[in-house]
Amino acid sequence: MSRIALSLAAALTVGQAFAATRGGQMTFGRYADSLFLDPVLNDANLDIWILTNLYDTLLQPTADGKSVQPGLASNYSLSKDGKTLSMTLRPGIKFADGSPITSADVKWSLDRARNPDNGAWVGLLGSISNVAASGNKVTVTLKNPDPSIIPAMATFNTGIMPQKLFNAAPGKNDAEKAKAFAEKPVGSGPFVLSEWKRGSYMVLKRNPYYWKMGEDKKALPYLDSLRFEIIPDDNTRILKLQAGELQGAEFIPLSRVAELKASPKINMVLFPSTKVNDIIMNNRPKLKDGSANPLSDVRVRQALNYAVNRDALIQLVTFGTGKPMKSFMSSGTPLFDPAQKGFNYDPEKAKALLKAAGYGNGFEVTTLAISGSADDLALTTALQQMWGAVGVRLKIEQLDAATRTARYRANDFQMRTGAWTDDIADPSEITGYYAVNGDTEAAHTGFTDPAIEKLFIQSQQETDKTKRAAQYRQIQTLYAAASPTIFLFETPYAVALLNNVKGFNQIPLGNNIFEATWLAK
């Protein structure tokens, strides 16, 4: 972490020096709008980082993102054989409409989340054979011991939903009901959706039935409401923050961090993260338009990795706040292998690999980038020069975030700038998303490796920590050799806040925590 980064503890201390003030509305600048506010049927941080303020889970991540703590469940225990997880619901908990949260709602929500037809994250719950509900007790029976089942209960896709309200939503099937319900979602998180003008703004109001207590022994949250302004352009977000029109803004370009840190009225925070920045490559022999794709050749993908000067990128793009990626997962992810070497900068080796693959004269490749993003522009422009030196001509196609996401999900891309943040304190999520050709087709790359698939299945049932670490070491080594993506760098979360904003936290798993945020007078 950079010297200018605040530690998590220091960031939290900012909000603890004074007694919290209740009330008021905080306006927060987002780079893009959410797409679909259903905790199960999505795979975008644009949704996830809002969902965690609307829907509660049985367990919750700790502030450091490395463990879990009680949530809607006041306590939990795992049987000695590792196949039965027992949880007790808190008494008197309610949804945001005032209706009680029952164990039947929990069973229904978990069964929906683990339905093989529902969403990209079903694999996180793949070990569950049965969920039973009785009174305030919930019992999850597993097919086999699963080392990731407890952190999975603190992951967004296990958000508890009101069964009756969901079933009453219009629609012939789950997908249609989910679409209708997500327009006016009701959960049990600290906030509830009040107003949403897509592409412009979203307003969340305080959930009057939230169960968690503040330091004043009254129910959280402290704020009356949260207003999210959708401002894709980085400079505009910063200008509005400096003018006091916003109280906070996300995704601050790392080129502006030092400047904002020097401002006496702004608290520029670099939160520790599990964020990795990469280039996701389509590995398929043919692209969506039917044209041949050079990236289907592993030698080409390796060459592009060797042609990246990561140390230079860290200075150019992150202004010294990042560090080189050594694996497809972050160094903060459990079971990251510190012995992984990643890719050194070796343009001559890149040229030799391209020549061996039949591309001695180079070729043209197109990457999708987010329009208005200073970081994306700096990155892709630098890659143009680096890859141009080995004969690869990079074309940059700038799109708004929603269009880029739609193209990505449809596998209609050759390359795209990418960023990943863990949602669970376990390596299974990123591995299932990036390295396994399941629902997400290995991060939509189309990559598949039977050896990785086998190791992943084994790791999902391995409770011996040493053996599981060895399995993940092999997975990381095999993935690097196949090079489905371009390893770039790890970066912190850059969030700028006015000095009167207290108690905000973005944990290493990415979740924006507003429940204890307050505005000093």
Side-chain angles (χ1 to χ4, degrees):
M1 189 60 63
S2 164
R3 287 179 296 175
I4 64 174
L6 289 177
S7 68
L8 177 60
L12 292 177
T13 301
V14 170
Q16 296 172 347
F18 307 96
T21 300
R22 285 187 171 269
Q25 175 174 272
M26 178 182 178
T27 304
F28 191 85
R30 302 186 74 200
Y31 84 98
D33 200 359
S34 294
L35 306 169
F36 185 35
L37 297 178
D38 181 279
V40 173
L41 304 177
N42 71 75
D43 66 347
N45 284 337
L46 292 171
D47 299 318
I48 295 166
W49 294 353
I50 294 295
L51 290 171
T52 51
N53 289 283
L54 300 176
Y55 298 97
D56 260 346
T57 45
L58 294 166
L59 306 179
Q60 293 185 341
T62 52
D64 64 5
K66 296 180 180 180
S67 187
V68 302
Q69 59 190 339
L72 292 177
S74 58
N75 60 71
Y76 61 97
S77 61
L78 191 63
S79 62
K80 289 184 178 180
D81 65 0
K83 296 177 67 174
T84 305
L85 176 61
S86 302
M87 294 172 283
T88 304
L89 298 183
R90 294 178 184 277
I93 49 177
K94 297 179 179 181
F95 289 109
D97 69 338
S99 61
I101 299 172
T102 69
S103 58
D105 290 307
V106 173
K107 171 179 167 53
W108 174 82
S109 296
L110 294 182
D111 282 343
R112 178 172 180 259
R114 70 188 185 91
N115 183 334
D117 297 327
N118 283 351
W121 311 109
V122 64
L124 295 179
L125 305 174
S127 63
I128 298 177
S129 65
N130 184 63
V131 180
S134 178
N136 67 340
K137 303 292 184 182
V138 177
T139 304
V140 177
T141 304
L142 306 179
K143 304 169 190 174
N144 48 261
D146 179 357
S148 66
I149 192 61
I150 289 177
M153 291 297 128
T155 306
F156 67 90
N157 69 316
T158 60
I160 304 306
M161 304 175 70
Q163 181 181 5
K164 289 182 180 179
L165 291 180
F166 185 93
N167 287 338
K172 299 177 182 178
N173 52 42
D174 185 275
E176 290 182 5
K177 288 181 178 294
K179 185 176 181 180
F181 186 83
E183 291 298 312
K184 295 182 179 179
V186 175
S188 62
F191 295 93
V192 61
L193 181 65
S194 172
E195 188 179 0
W196 188 5
K197 185 176 180 181
R198 286 185 179 271
S200 181
Y201 66 88
M202 176 188 291
V203 178
L204 306 185
K205 287 192 174 179
R206 181 180 186 275
N207 173 8
Y209 302 102
Y210 191 53
W211 58 271
K212 194 178 291 188
M213 295 292 116
E215 292 180 357
D216 57 3
K217 308 302 179 185
K218 297 178 182 179
L220 292 173
Y222 295 121
L223 294 170
D224 287 333
S225 59
L226 267 171
R227 182 182 177 95
F228 294 107
E229 291 284 347
I230 312 306
I231 308 171
D233 185 73
D234 293 335
N235 290 330
T236 304
R237 281 201 308 284
I238 292 172
L239 285 171
K240 285 182 175 290
L241 180 74
Q242 292 170 326
E245 296 176 37
L246 303 175
Q247 282 83 51
E250 67 176 359
F251 288 95
I252 298 299
L254 298 171
S255 60
R256 304 290 297 275
V257 166
E259 168 199 344
L260 295 178
K261 188 170 177 62
S263 172
K265 62 180 181 180
I266 291 175
N267 178 21
M268 182 66 241
V269 189
L270 297 182
F271 289 99
S273 85
T274 53
K275 184 179 180 183
V276 290
N277 300 262
D278 53 19
I279 298 292
I280 296 175
M281 294 185 283
N282 190 329
N283 290 203
R284 299 171 183 86
K286 291 188 179 296
L287 299 175
K288 196 79 170 181
D289 63 6
S291 61
N293 181 20
L295 302 180
S296 63
D297 192 315
V298 63
R299 294 168 296 185
V300 172
R301 301 194 301 268
Q302 289 174 341
L304 293 176
N305 262 299
Y306 282 115
V308 174
N309 186 336
R310 288 161 189 81
D311 290 335
L313 282 181
I314 287 166
Q315 295 306 316
L316 286 166
V317 182
T318 81
F319 287 74
T321 65
K323 59 182 179 181
M325 280 179 67
K326 301 292 187 181
S327 165
F328 67 91
M329 63 179 69
S330 83
S331 57
T333 300
L335 302 188
F336 164 80
D337 175 22
Q340 293 293 314
K341 297 180 180 179
F343 293 88
N344 59 309
Y345 177 49
D346 192 339
E348 294 307 313
K349 188 168 186 177
K351 290 178 183 177
L353 284 164
L354 289 172
K355 184 176 181 180
Y359 295 100
N361 294 322
F363 61 92
E364 183 176 274
V365 64
T366 301
T367 187
L368 305 184
I370 299 175
S371 57
S373 169
D375 287 346
D376 260 20
L377 182 59
L379 169 63
T380 52
T381 302
L383 289 176
Q384 267 185 332
Q385 296 177 348
M386 292 175 188
W387 287 343
V390 298
V392 176
R393 300 172 295 281
L394 178 62
K395 180 181 177 182
I396 303 167
E397 186 176 355
Q398 293 186 320
L399 302 170
D400 64 85
T403 302
R404 190 184 71 149
T405 298
R407 289 268 303 272
Y408 172 60
R409 288 176 174 173
N411 300 330
D412 183 15
F413 71 102
Q414 190 171 22
M415 283 184 171
R416 61 155 283 185
T417 54
W420 168 274
T421 293
D422 294 343
D423 300 291
I424 183 173
D426 191 85
S428 58
E429 182 196 28
I430 187 171
T431 304
Y433 189 91
Y434 265 76
V436 174
N437 199 307
D439 291 332
T440 64
E441 298 179 72
H444 297 280
T445 62
F447 166 73
T448 185
D449 183 330
I452 289 179
E453 306 272 341
K454 183 178 179 180
L455 283 164
F456 181 66
I457 291 171
Q458 292 172 347
S459 75
Q460 290 297 86
Q461 302 179 30
E462 183 56 70
T463 56
D464 184 291
K465 293 182 180 179
T466 301
K467 291 180 180 179
R468 193 167 188 245
Q471 291 163 344
Y472 271 100
R473 187 179 305 115
Q474 284 184 268
I475 288 172
Q476 290 170 77
T477 299
L478 290 169
Y479 188 95
S483 304
T485 56
I486 304 294
F487 291 6
L488 296 177
F489 41 76
E490 301 182 37
T491 50
Y493 304 127
V495 180
L497 306 163
L498 293 188
N499 282 336
N500 70 322
V501 176
K502 312 296 180 181
F504 171 82
N505 183 28
Q506 186 168 14
I507 68 173
L509 300 179
N511 303 359
N512 287 318
I513 310 297
F514 289 98
E515 66 182 19
T517 301
W518 54 282
L519 303 176
K521 300 299 185 183

